[in-house]
Amino acid sequence: MRVLAINDISCVGKCSLSVTLPVLSACGITCDVLPTAILSTHTGGFTDYTFRDLTDDIPQILRHWKTLGIRFDYVYSGYLGSMEQIELVSRIRKEFLTENGVFVVDPVMGDSGKLYDGFTAEYVEKMRELCREADYILPNLTEACYLAGVPYPQNGATLDAESLLYKLQALCPRPIVTGITERQSISVVFAGKTGTAQKYKHENVNGFFCGAGDVFASAFVGCLARGKTDEEAVRLASDFTTAAIVRSATEVPDKRYGLNFEAEIFEFLKNLEK
Ligand code: PXL
């Protein structure tokens, strides 16, 4: 079982490939990587970070992989460094995913109601097209609102998560929306076996951590690759991410440095093996 993770390397700040590699390895899954960009830190809260876009390297990498006859059981894409990379990911799905392979798109582009630095409406439009090709999309609430073209619920306004999910199903049959906060809870909303909306809830824990979405998405992919159902994978990945957030709320004074997810890997694996 091999997964191709297409994501950036943020040298500091624990997100993207720095999260996906250890989590998938811990799950016992081979994780091959295609780095989309190299940044000195992630873009959430740091200033003056460096950014090297690796778009131009990708065609050569793919050419080499072609000579190896390599195929992936999962292609999982995250932060893409340029618009052109969205098209390259689509090409990778067509040329490198096995016949019954699974394509997972985390449409990384924003949080807290806003797009991240460098992302535009045009990018959102193009990402919507990539989502149409996916077996699963894993947007956070902000990304889900952008993809569905609905306003982000500001200042604690209530959100009809079910109707948001159904709107996303016009793009992809299995959307999984993370970070839906209600007063005391935070939930993941996803399409259950029959396609109807299901919610997996946790007590809301304070603290915004860049990379939390990557912990969830990586664990979700790891669980699927280990043969878990969608429901089990959502539960295991949510429990893992929430435990890491709870611990990090007190253990990590500067939230920009990311979750102490490492300390929760053992517990996650025990639950995965049950
Ligand atoms: O975790 C999301 C993410 C991934 N990669 C980069 C980011 C962010 C969030 O800010 O900046 C480079």
Side-chain angles (χ1 to χ4, degrees):
M1 188 64 68
R2 41 183 347 126
V3 172
L4 174 65
I6 308 174
N7 217 329
D8 71 276
I9 297 176
S10 288
C11 300
V12 166
K14 275 196 275 184
C15 63
S16 319
L17 290 180
S18 315
V19 167
T20 304
L21 273 167
V23 170
L24 284 175
S25 298
C27 291
I29 302 294
T30 298
C31 181
D32 295 316
V33 298
L34 185 61
T36 56
I38 298 181
L39 298 87
S40 51
T41 65
H42 62 67
T43 66
F46 292 102
T47 50
D48 302 326
Y49 50 83
T50 67
F51 184 105
R52 180 173 299 277
D53 176 0
L54 297 177
T55 305
D56 290 347
D57 293 81
I58 293 177
Q60 303 167 55
I61 293 171
L62 299 184
R63 219 169 294 131
H64 182 217
W65 287 354
K66 270 274 156 81
T67 68
L68 303 175
I70 208 161
R71 287 280 183 282
F72 304 99
D73 303 293
Y74 283 77
V75 169
Y76 154 39
S77 72
Y79 185 100
L80 304 177
S82 67
M83 299 268 285
E84 208 182 325
Q85 285 186 1
I86 299 183
E87 277 163 30
L88 285 166
V89 171
S90 167
R91 192 182 129 198
I92 290 165
R93 179 192 70 84
K94 292 184 189 99
E95 295 180 12
F96 291 94
L97 192 62
T98 55
E99 203 174 321
N100 297 314
V102 179
F103 181 36
V104 181
V105 172
D106 183 353
V108 176
M109 52 193 180
D111 212 335
S112 309
K114 295 196 209 83
L115 293 177
Y116 294 134
D117 262 13
F119 289 85
T120 60
E122 204 187 347
Y123 184 94
V124 175
E125 190 53 51
K126 222 167 167 54
M127 180 54 80
R128 214 174 268 139
E129 292 313 306
L130 188 67
C131 288
R132 288 186 196 281
E133 298 183 28
D135 296 295
Y136 295 89
I137 54 172
L138 309 177
N140 61 29
L141 179 57
T142 300
E143 291 152 352
C145 289
Y146 273 100
L147 289 172
V150 303
Y152 179 80
Q154 298 288 358
N155 307 321
T158 51
L159 167 93
D160 183 351
E162 278 190 22
S163 87
L164 178 62
L165 191 87
Y166 297 141
K167 284 201 172 93
L168 292 173
Q169 279 181 313
L171 295 180
C172 167
R174 284 172 285 189
I176 296 169
V177 184
T178 59
I180 299 189
T181 47
E182 287 152 313
R183 261 176 246 126
Q184 301 300 328
S185 70
I186 182 155
S187 337
V188 176
V189 173
F190 62 105
K193 269 198 204 88
T194 57
T196 54
Q198 284 195 26
K199 216 178 233 189
Y200 187 66
K201 240 183 207 184
H202 271 284
E203 191 185 330
N204 195 0
V205 276
N206 274 334
F208 169 78
F209 286 88
C210 198
D214 301 325
V215 172
F216 176 85
S218 305
F220 177 79
V221 170
C223 291
L224 282 190
R226 285 289 303 271
K228 300 292 178 187
T229 64
D230 293 2
E231 286 81 357
E232 288 166 340
V234 166
R235 176 176 56 79
L236 289 162
S238 302
D239 290 352
F240 175 39
T241 311
T242 305
I245 294 173
V246 168
R247 167 188 285 282
S248 305
T250 52
E251 287 180 2
V252 181
D254 186 340
K255 310 287 180 258
R256 295 178 304 174
Y257 288 91
L259 290 174
N260 181 5
F261 70 92
E262 298 92 334
E264 292 297 333
I265 283 188
F266 185 55
E267 194 59 33
F268 166 56
L269 294 184
K270 282 198 288 184
N271 293 329
L272 177 63
E273 300 299 340
K274 268 183 198 161

